[in-house]
């Protein structure tokens, strides 16, 4: 406080700003002394409550595990950090400064307030507080603390805010009353520096440095596996090593920038994240939070509140972010507050002290530095907090998916779980960004009204009313936007679901010539999405009009009210008000955004909470018995199980099963009798209603449908286990994989495509059996054993299931003698075996028995049989050697900045870019009119109330209204045209990508993971739909706005740093989002299949007539860099005959069929059907005339009818006839929906009749 300013000067300053309620003025020193006293007493109250809380917690948890360890304590090996010593010195320095202040007050000096009791009370409380703080710091230095206690850090932060407020207020009075700094002021400056140091220490919070081995414990695996291995040159976290100055300036990123500026960054060059930001640490922290919530709620609560757990996890970081946000908001209004004083100084330099001008300049600069620093910190902190929540929640969602019960899994599909981890978690993390708006909004509005009241008096009331009106107008817009966004998400989900289904069944779609129908289906779904997006963007354009027009409306109302009330409008007051109006834009639009984000976060949090509280697999379902205690490997007694969890209609009932160790048991039964469910009960996947299950030994399970991981064959077999050469060789030999390895280009290191797409069905089955065998388990559960188990089972035990019960049990011969059902199953199997034996016997007289099957005349051919043999290393093409024979190649990675051609393609794809000049002209016009309106008000208004205005104030206000409204209309035009142009561009690129992908050859889908395509169709397309035009527009608009601020340097200079940052930010964002455009453009230039229709070469309408197929010197390979699969095939299949192509797994049978449909184009040779060379006609003409039952099961999401007749070509009677022929009619009739029942219930059955 200043000792040279007397009571009269302060009284003059007080009377300039009278409070409407008769209280002391807001800038009165007495008021701030009282506020400080209240804050100090409040802090003491918080301290007392914290002590009571800790005491109660210690009493409640006395003797429990929760009280055994203090999370803030450290191991004995931790070293005392330098910050601990500095905190002690700074605390002593602050005690000294406040002691000096107290002595000055006792001598009657340094008291600007007419109430010495308030000043004495504050200083006494400060001295007592710092004595306590010093004792606390000294005590904790000798205790096992790793971080400073939270209450102490809170006190340091609060003291910094109080010191900064006092010093700012003192400086204000010195400037306003032409005073000078005294001893008290310099003491306050010294105290502020010490408080700033303690603030920095409180942010870091660490007292000691833990040893490296303690830190390494935090890198334990998230799941029960091995920890991740990192390359030796992986750098440690730059953030964790950063000093206070590095954290403030973000210079800790400089080493990464240096590397990135020289060359593209590689994965091993990216530093590790800080321990507190790692998924392992955060997942563990969320676990502890959930555990704490559960303990506090009591033992009767099984599902703790996810809201409270998130609060406990994020509260410290959120409080720190809130502090920075409040500091940023407070300092942002210092500039508008000082503008009037600055204009007064410039207009009356002769009577003003030069020191006052310097102090004003320092005030502008200091406030802007504080604002920028605090703003960067809270923005970074909010993003960091969001990522922490994201990592913690995603890890929990993933882990929950591994333990969901069968019934809970039915309510959460894999697509829904992915939505939880992407959409819902993102909305929750967005709330971490907007949460600071909760306390920034009232502060910003209050400060704006305070600044207006300071300059315009009661005119600020009109400004407040106008602000509330604009804010209320935004609320219905936000509600409508929320509804549109919900519709967009629903439409996008439907489109992505259909897209995923199309990609998953692309081979079937191409074989059946359904390409056009599914393209039309996807386009119709996209049209629905397009309409909702356009409604949303159109509403967004109206919102932009209100956003940029709100300063105009508020200023017109405020200035009009001033004219009516006779309040003089000087240039300084007008400029200060205009700057304040522009700053009101953010809080005005923050309220609807905040409400929208809160609503979305609430819905998403409820969804995630419901999922995390879902029923889990019963961990006590199976009893594990030591081997020495029982002779049985499996013992099920009176087992009753249900997939639905309903005891009234169990899936399995009365199961009595005992399997002696080493015995082979076959479970037989018709479709739907419960064979797979019985195996699921043994592995604990189905809910047990009653009975007992005892397992002795480890178990391995082989599902009915092969489950293959993307990777090489060896990785699929090892499945995370260490490689044992002897054991591995024995396993592959036992599973008959050696011959397959000889056929593969790189043996067992050959890469398997997505879902094993480049493997035959038998190869995939043997690979997953080898995976189970390599586990070296005691019990092997094989679903559908006839494809893998030794056929000599005559002396082993059989179990026959009927209607979910074991109807028969015994050996093979015993069950045949009982003559009650088992013989029917064997009879059907025997008939199939007899037909195979007949074929084998007839193969010896092949030429005599089948004279029609002949080879085409070719003197140079030896009529080789369809075969496939091992390729020697020398036969590999150079391209294959370079790519190491990989089927799935790494995704293309562009280096450097985005090319100009990408920007040009995006800007000119619609109407050749004719709309771009219109958008730029509208934005430039808005900028010119906005600057002109502000300049007009500054020029037309007098410099002081003593000077007459240049023109009548009514005319001045009218011109201002016209210019401002014109600028707002330009914004409306720009927003509308930009939204429409951006959406048309996105739609054009989408259709180009869709048509190119659907016309791509099958080799593209074999070598491209589905996820790559889906990412472009989902996230990249969303960027184009909703963000791309806006990002490019804002980059250009920010540059235009930055070029136009020279007209009113005082008003716009306050936001100069914001404008500069926005230019850089928007350019970087546009560059980043343009990657999505580049990725989609890649998929608009894919290599296409042959034409659908060739008009000059179309087959006859009745083709094919007999179906004679002639292969002439046919050679096939799947890719240019891969070896040939079929070589020199020359033979003829006669028409109207049933021809069987026989060969071992991987011999090329399926490849031959694919060649007939031109899924794989011949490298050499020809295929002629009824005299028509199929390589010379269109693909649609070929594939639509042929029919096939694919090897891989194909199911589309939808009803039974939709799966059997996707093109809606057949009547109900035809569909029922097909079902009855496949023995599925009764099963479908038993369902309530019959033909409209979901097809997923018949996945294993309907694929055989998709005709």
């Amino acid at each position: 406080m200043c000792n040279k300013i007397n009571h009269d000067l302060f009284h003059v300053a007080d009377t300039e700003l009278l409070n409407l309620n008769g209280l002391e003025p807001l800038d009165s020193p007495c008021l701030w002394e009282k506020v400080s006293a209240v804050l100090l007493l409040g802090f003491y109250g918080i301290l007392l409550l914290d002590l009571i809380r800790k005491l109660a917690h210690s009493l409640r948890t006395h003797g429990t595990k929760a009280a055994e360890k203090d999370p803030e304590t450290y191991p004995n090996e931790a070293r005392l950090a330098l910050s601990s010593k500095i905190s002690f010195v700074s605390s002593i320095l602050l005690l000294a400064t406040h002691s000096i202040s107290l002595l000055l007050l006792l001598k009657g000096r340094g008291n600007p307030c007419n109430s010495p009791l308030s000043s004495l009370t504050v200083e006494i409380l400060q001295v007592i507080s710092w004595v306590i703080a010093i004792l606390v710091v000294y005590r904790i230095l000798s205790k096992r603390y790793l971080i400073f206690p939270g209450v102490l850090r809170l006190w340091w932060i609060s003291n910094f805010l109080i010191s900064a407020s006092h010093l700012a207020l003192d400086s204000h009075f010195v400037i306003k009353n032409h005073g000078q700094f005294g001893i008290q002021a310099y003491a306050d400056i010294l105290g502020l520096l010490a408080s700033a140091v303690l603030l920095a220490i409180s942010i870091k919070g660490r007292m000691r440095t833990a040893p490296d081995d303690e830190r390494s414990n935090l890198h334990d695996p998230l799941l029960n596996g091995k920890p991740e291995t990192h390359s030796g040159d992986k750098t440690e976290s730059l953030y964790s090593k950063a000093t206070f100055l590095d954290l403030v300036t973000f210079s800790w990123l400089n080493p990464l920038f240096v590397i990135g500026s020289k060359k593209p960054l590689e994965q091993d060059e990216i530093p590790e994240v800080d321990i507190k930001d790692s998924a392992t640490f955060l997942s563990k922290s969320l676990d502890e939070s959930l555990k704490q919530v559960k303990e506090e709620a009591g033992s009767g609560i099984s599902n703790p509140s996810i809201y409270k757990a998130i609060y406990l996890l994020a509260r410290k970081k959120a409080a720190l972010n809130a502090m920075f946000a409040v500091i940023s908001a407070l300092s942002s209004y210092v500039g508008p507050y000082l503008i009037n004083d600055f204009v007064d100084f410039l207009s009356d330099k002769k009577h003003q002290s030069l020191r006052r001008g310097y102090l004003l300049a320092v005030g502008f600069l200091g406030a802007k530095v504080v604002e920028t620093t605090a703003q960067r910190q809270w923005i970074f902190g909010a993003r960091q907090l969001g990522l922490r929540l994201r990592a913690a929640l995603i890890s929990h969602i993933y882990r929950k998916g591994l333990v969901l019960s069968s019934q809970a899994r039915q309510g959460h599909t894999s697509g829904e779980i992915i939505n939880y981890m992407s959409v819902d978690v993102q909305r929750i993390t967005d709330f971490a960004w907007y949460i600071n708006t909760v306390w920034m909004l009232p502060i910003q509005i209050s400060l704006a009204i305070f600044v207006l009241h300071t300059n315009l008096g009661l005119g600020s009331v009109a400004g407040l009313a106008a602000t509330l009106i604009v804010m209320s107008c935004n609320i219905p817009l936000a509600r409508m936007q929320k509804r549109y966004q919900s519709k967009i998400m629903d439409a996008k989900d439907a489109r992505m679901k259909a897209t995923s289904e199309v990609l998953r069944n692309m081979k079937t779609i191409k074989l059946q010539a359904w390409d056009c129908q599914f393209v039309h289906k996807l386009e119709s779904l996209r049209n629905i999405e397009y309409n909702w997006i356009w409604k949303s963007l159109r509403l967004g354009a109206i919102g932009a009009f209100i956003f940029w027009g709100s300063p105009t409306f508020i200023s017109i109302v405020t200035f009009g009210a001033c004219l009516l009330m006779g309040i003089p409008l000087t240039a300084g007051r007008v400029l200060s008000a205009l700057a304040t109006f522009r700053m009101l834009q953010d809080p005005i639009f923050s309220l609807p955004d905040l409400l929208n984000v809160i609503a979305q976060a609430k819905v998403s949090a409820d969804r995630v909470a419901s999922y995390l509280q879902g029923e889990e697999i019963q961990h006590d379902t199976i009893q594990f018995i030591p081997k020495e205690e029982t002779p049985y490997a499996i013992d099920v007694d009176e087992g009753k199980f249900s997939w639905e969890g309903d005891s009234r209609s169990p899936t399995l009932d009365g199961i009595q099963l005992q399997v002696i160790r080493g015995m082979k048991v076959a479970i037989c039964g018709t479709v739907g009798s419960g064979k797979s469910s019985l195996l699921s009960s043994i592995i604990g996947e189905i809910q047990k209603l009653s009975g007992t299950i005892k397992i002795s030994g480890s178990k391995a399970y082989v599902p009915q449908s092969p489950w293959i991981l993307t990777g090489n064959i060896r990785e699929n077999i090892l499945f995370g286990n260490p490689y044992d050469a002897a054991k591995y060789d024995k396993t592959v030999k036992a599973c008959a994989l050696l011959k397959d390895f000889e056929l593969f280009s790189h043996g067992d290191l050959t890469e398997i495509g997505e879902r094993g797409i480049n493997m035959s069905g038998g190869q995939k089955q043997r690979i997953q059996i080898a995976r189970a065998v390599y586990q070296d388990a005691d019990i092997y559960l094989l679903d559908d054993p006839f494809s893998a188990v030794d056929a000599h089972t005559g002396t082993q035990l059989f179990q026959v299931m009927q209607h979910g019960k074991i109807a028969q049990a015994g050996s093979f011969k015993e069950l045949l003698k009982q003559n009650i059902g088992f013989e029917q199953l064997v009879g059907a199997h025997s008939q199939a075996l007899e037909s195979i034996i007949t074929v084998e016997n007839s193969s010896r007289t092949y030429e005599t028995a089948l004279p029609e099957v002949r080879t085409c005349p070719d003197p140079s051919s030896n009529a080789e049989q369809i075969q496939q043999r091992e390729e020697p290393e020398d036969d590999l093409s150079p391209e294959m050697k370079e790519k190491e024979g990989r089927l799935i190649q790494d995704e293309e990675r562009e280096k450097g900045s985005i090319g100009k051609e990408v920007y040009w393609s995006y800007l000119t794809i619609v109407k050749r870019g004719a709309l771009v000049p219109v958008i730029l002209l509208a934005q430039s016009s808005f900028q010119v009119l906005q600057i002109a309106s502000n300049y007009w008000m500054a020029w037309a208004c007098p410099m002081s109330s003593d000077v007459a205005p240049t023109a009548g104030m009514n005319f001045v206000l009218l011109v201002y209204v016209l210019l401002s409204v014109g600028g707002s209309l330009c914004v409306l035009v720009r927003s509308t045209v930009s939204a429409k142009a951006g959406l048309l561009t996105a739609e054009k690129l989408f259709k180009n990508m869709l048509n190119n992908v659907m016309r791509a050859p099958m080799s593209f889908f074999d070598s491209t993971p589905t996820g790559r395509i889906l990412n472009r169709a989902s996230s990249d397309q969303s960027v184009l739909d909703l963000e791309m035009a806006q990002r490019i527009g804002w980059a250009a608009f920010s540059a235009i706005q930055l070029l136009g601020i020279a007209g009113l340097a005082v008003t716009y200079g306050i936001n100069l740093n914001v404008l500069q940052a926005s230019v850089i930010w928007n350019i970087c964002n546009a560059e980043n989002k343009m990657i999505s455009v580049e990725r989609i453009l890649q998929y608009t230039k894919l290599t296409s299949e042959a034409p659908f229709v060739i008009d000059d070469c179309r087959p006859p309408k009745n083709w094919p007539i007999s179906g004679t197929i002639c292969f002439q010197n046919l050679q096939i390979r799947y890719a240019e860099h891969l070896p040939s699969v079929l070589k020199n095939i020359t033979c003829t299949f006669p028409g109207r005959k049933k021809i069987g192509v026989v060969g071992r797994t991987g011999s090329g049978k399926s490849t031959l069929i694919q060649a007939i449909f031109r899924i794989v184009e011949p490298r050499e040779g020809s295929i002629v059907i009824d005299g028509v060379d199929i390589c010379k006609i269109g693909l649609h003409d070929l594939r639509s005339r042929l029919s096939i039952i694919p090897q891989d099961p194909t199911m589309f999401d939808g009803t039974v009818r939709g799966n059997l007749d996707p093109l809606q070509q057949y009547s109900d009677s035809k569909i029922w006839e097909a079902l009855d022929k496949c023995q599925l009619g009764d099963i479908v009739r038993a369902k309530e929906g019959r033909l409209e029942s979901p097809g997923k219930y018949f996945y294993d059955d309907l694929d055989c009749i998709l005709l």
Side-chain angles (χ1 to χ4, degrees), residues 817-838:
K817 293 178 180 179
Q818 293 181 19
N819 195 26
I820 55 173
F822 180 67
E823 72 286 347
Q824 298 176 5
L825 297 173
V826 176
H829 186 61
S830 299
Q831 293 176 9
L833 290 177
E834 289 176 2
S835 63
I836 294 176
I837 294 172
T838 303

Side-chain angles (χ1 to χ4, degrees), residues 35 51 55 140 225 236 327 345 449 612 636 650 658 700 801 941 990 1003 1081 1125:
V35 170
L51 291 175
L55 179 61
I140 63 176
E236 60 178 312
I327 292 175
F345 170 79
I449 300 304
L612 293 178
V636 183
Q658 289 182 328
M801 297 201 66
C941 293
F990 171 80
S1003 59
L1081 284 174
V1125 179

Side-chain angles (χ1 to χ4, degrees), residues 899-910 912-913 1074 1081:
K900 296 180 181 178
E901 63 277 2
V902 178
Y903 285 95
W904 183 254
S905 298
Y906 179 79
L907 295 175
T908 59
I909 196 171
V910 173
R912 298 184 178 181
M1074 188 57 68
L1081 284 174

Side-chain angles (χ1 to χ4, degrees), residues 444-484:
Q444 288 173 314
I445 295 178
S446 300
L447 289 174
I449 300 304
F450 168 70
V451 173
L452 290 176
H453 179 263
T454 303
N455 294 289
L456 302 178
L458 291 177
S460 61
V461 178
L464 176 61
T467 302
L468 295 177
I469 291 174
V470 174
M471 293 178 69
S472 61
C473 290
N474 283 316
I475 294 177
L477 292 180
R479 290 177 179 173
M480 293 177 63
Q481 191 66 269
K482 179 183 177 182
R483 186 170 68 90
Y484 288 157

Side-chain angles (χ1 to χ4, degrees), residues 105 114 229 280 339 488 690 944 1049:
L105 287 173
N114 56 8
T229 58
T280 304
I339 282 181
I488 290 173
S690 62
S944 65

